[in-house]
Amino acid sequence: MGIGLAVADTLPAAEPAAQARNPIIWADVPDMCMVRVGDTYYMASTTMHLSPGLPIMKSRDLVNWEMASYAYATLADNDALNLQNGRNAYGAGSWAPSIRFHKGRFYASTFANTSGRTHIYHTLDPDKGPWEEISFRPSLHDHTLFFDDDGRTYMIYGVGNLRLVELKEDLTGLKPDGINQVIITNAISVAGATAGLAGEGSQLWKINGKYYLFNIIWPRGGMRMVIIHRADKITGPWEGRVALQDKGVAQGGLIDTPKGDWYAYLFRDYGAVGRIPYLVPVKWVDGWPVLGVDGKVPDTLPLPPSRGLIPGIVASDEFDRKPGDRPLPLVWQWNHNPDNRFWSVTARPGFLRLTTGRVDKDFLQARNSLTQRTLGPECSGSVAVDVSGMKDGDCAGLALLQRNYGLVGVKQEGGTRHLVMVSVQNGPPTEAARVPLQQNTVHLKAECDFNNRRDVAWFYYSLDGKTWTRIGSELKMTYTLPHFMGYRFALFNYATQEPGGHVDFDYFRISDRMTEPR
């Protein structure tokens, strides 16, 4: 997984255009891997500690994506993933997936130090599922799953020294007498460097009889860049070169269109909104994929324009459910594994009910916080919540989730309720404002400005859903490696004294615009 700070330049202004613009998704969709089946593209991405996980998205044009499914409901059942006994999986969980289509079946694989295993999920239908799981030890870091023409199956994984291993025919583990060897030593050396992120994020293809391996490196003092190795045999020898060094856009691989055009899909660290996907045109020269336009990442692409990320990647939800509807649309993910006993969309039809099932010390340790991505260049998320079922010590509302989080919510203490704004800015949580609340239903809003990496947010409340009042201080949003994730909207309710209280969310509404004056 590529990590690090973004390069200090700005994105072009987001404006309507007759063609696609980079980034193609201005939201946290890191470690992408793509496959095309006919005229449909499928993309897998990292979501780490969130559940369900290993999201599968689909598109007909490489630009406009929608959620298709998740490969798993929960990665594993342990204290870290369940937010139990003081443990958590922030910045951990599953990373850097690989997605393949082989003999009519889809495969999505990932690895997790949190489970200690390599996980392979497979299905005949990535939209409807079900996804079935195979897993084995050890956990193979940033691997690429590869089905070769001769019927053998491999993974290449590791950092710096990249290792090729052969899998059993049923994919249940490493083949005892199979290939198991380092095929590329010190991958960063192709850039003439000796220190830094030495080469990871492996993705492998076989094109016209040759093998092509993509990796990311980050030389110390330099920027993230793409390297490519190629070989006539999977065991080598491999020759490598730097393929792209621009704006820190790196880590990903190759995809072709039905018309025969080629692109590299890559991502860029872009501050608090997260790691955002780019497409880079590819031409083939002397058997090598040549990335970019004159070596640069273009602002525009000869592809259809984006219709926006709503409702494909994020979406509003009135929590109205008809018979046969999913309990939660695919845009939602829980912060860590949920406890399904304590949430419902049927206890009060038209509402999401969150009930406290235990006592927690703070928001980051609270279970059953329901999340969606934020999006750039700016966005707004709002909720209405009925707090009449709260107990003393409860806190519920709307948050922007990262280690340095901010929230606007309702606290009940001594039978009275207050609206509060709480933020974390490289220290303990601080209550920046407190306003008495005399009614049962309140509207809450958070607005985010990612323009030119301002990375600031503001919080609001309304007593009637029409007139909004800013509350508390400006939140300076910071992408921190302990969480390793862009900021997400989060609906939450937790108890600090006794469990059993509940709140009912009437809606969550998201917009790609900020609406309130500051």
Side-chain angles (χ1 to χ4, degrees), residues 202-222:
S202 291
Q203 296 198 31
L204 178 68
W205 291 265
K206 191 175 187 179
I207 302 167
N208 294 331
K210 286 186 180 290
Y211 298 88
Y212 295 88
L213 179 65
F214 273 55
N215 291 97
I216 178 178
I217 61 171
W218 191 4
R220 184 174 297 168

Side-chain angles (χ1 to χ4, degrees), residues 179-237:
I179 294 173
N180 188 333
Q181 65 185 70
V182 173
I183 55 171
I184 297 171
T185 302
N186 193 24
I188 198 174
S189 64
V190 300
T194 57
L197 182 66
E200 61 178 11
S202 291
Q203 296 198 31
L204 178 68
W205 291 265
K206 191 175 187 179
I207 302 167
N208 294 331
K210 286 186 180 290
Y211 298 88
Y212 295 88
L213 179 65
F214 273 55
N215 291 97
I216 178 178
I217 61 171
W218 191 4
R220 184 174 297 168
M223 72 166 62
R224 302 163 71 252
M225 62 182 77
V226 180
I227 61 171
I228 302 174
H229 286 81
R230 76 175 183 182
D232 293 320
K233 296 173 59 178
I234 198 167
T235 52

Side-chain angles (χ1 to χ4, degrees), residues 35-42 57-61 65 106 126-127 255 258:
V35 65
R36 178 175 63 84
V37 180
D39 63 356
T40 304
Y41 305 91
Y42 293 91
M57 306 177 192
K58 69 177 182 179
S59 172
R60 291 294 181 92
D61 59 15
W65 294 87
F106 290 84
D127 291 277
I255 193 75

